[in-house]
Amino acid sequence: MPGSVAEAVAVQEELRPLVDLVGPGPSAPATVAGLDVAYGQGGDLLAAAVTVLDAATLEVVDSAVSVGEPAFDYVPGLFAFRELPALLTALDRLSVLPDLLVCDGHGLAHPRRFGLACHLGVVTGLPAIGVGKTPLVGTWDPPAAERGAWSPLRDGGDVVGRVLRIQDGVKPVFVSVGHRMSLENATAQVLALAPRYRLPETTRTADRLSRDALASAEQTN
């Protein structure tokens, strides 16, 4: 892990050219993983969770957690370094290798075009996308109110993602490519993973697991 902000930025700059933003990625993945991290109130404890879902039924078929300390200070734009070691440990504990990673965060929609989804994709070699609840960068026009409507997320003249309406009349999410995926396919996969709620089932299940693991760790401590 980098020891300073400058070193972390240098790592991002070094790895960024390795990102595959074309894909197209798996159009019919058999399994899709959700990744999320929960933080303790003091900020010195985190629980990283990975849930693997059957893409057809959206049932959880495998899961793993890793509890530890954040690996890096909180610095905007360098958030991946806090979570990456724990997420990689959780991924290593899986018995089912997922066809696609869905990160609770961003990929290309990042100040240096190298968010958590890009970082995880490059390090693991797996197709990855980011689904953020709130934007990190960019401007956009509100998409139409119906499910599936989207508008481009632009930053500095680049299209870095899509603002996607997952349910009718519900606040949109921010989808961006991480690695080995096209934006069109990323959008389709997110919609397929979210038949009922604002967030994809990958994110919902990983969020629950990370919170449960954190609560268990805090009780133990």
Side-chain angles (χ1 to χ4, degrees):
M1 287 297 294
S4 67
V5 169
E7 288 178 15
V9 171
V11 169
Q12 289 183 332
E13 298 288 359
E14 180 183 349
L15 295 180
R16 183 175 57 188
L18 303 179
V19 175
D20 175 356
L21 299 173
V22 178
S27 58
T31 54
V32 184
L35 300 93
D36 201 3
V37 177
Y39 288 86
Q41 284 191 335
D44 56 352
L45 186 68
L46 62 75
V50 182
T51 52
V52 182
L53 277 59
D54 179 308
T57 65
L58 301 184
E59 294 296 319
V60 177
V61 296
D62 195 12
S63 64
V65 298
S66 174
V67 178
E69 297 179 355
F72 200 78
D73 290 339
Y74 173 73
V75 181
L78 298 176
F79 208 70
F81 291 99
R82 287 173 67 79
E83 304 184 345
L84 202 66
L87 285 170
L88 290 174
T89 298
L91 281 166
D92 283 343
R93 291 174 176 168
L94 293 174
S95 57
V96 176
L97 183 68
D99 296 328
L100 174 65
L101 305 180
V102 179
C103 302
D104 177 39
H106 300 280
L108 188 65
H110 177 274
R112 282 178 293 281
R113 307 294 186 260
F114 196 74
L116 175 64
C118 296
H119 209 145
L120 271 168
V122 167
V123 170
T124 64
L126 296 171
I129 58 179
V131 182
K133 304 179 195 71
T134 56
L136 185 59
V137 296
T139 58
W140 67 94
D141 294 321
E146 69 271 9
R147 170 179 162 86
W150 60 270
S151 59
L153 178 64
R154 302 179 186 276
D155 183 53
D158 299 327
V159 174
V160 296
R162 286 181 177 176
V163 184
L164 176 65
R165 191 85 65 185
I166 288 188
Q167 301 299 338
D168 292 353
V170 173
K171 280 197 304 185
V173 297
F174 299 82
V175 178
S176 58
V177 171
H179 185 54
R180 294 179 58 198
M181 288 289 285
S182 69
L183 186 53
E184 189 72 30
N185 192 17
T187 304
Q189 297 307 322
V190 171
L191 284 169
L193 291 166
R196 293 180 297 277
Y197 301 103
R198 179 192 176 216
L199 297 176
E201 289 302 306
T202 40
T203 300
R204 287 166 47 81
T205 53
D207 174 73
R208 280 198 299 271
L209 182 58
S210 66
R211 290 173 189 270
D212 289 347
L214 179 69
S216 177
E218 288 179 329
Q219 284 180 347
T220 302
N221 290 347

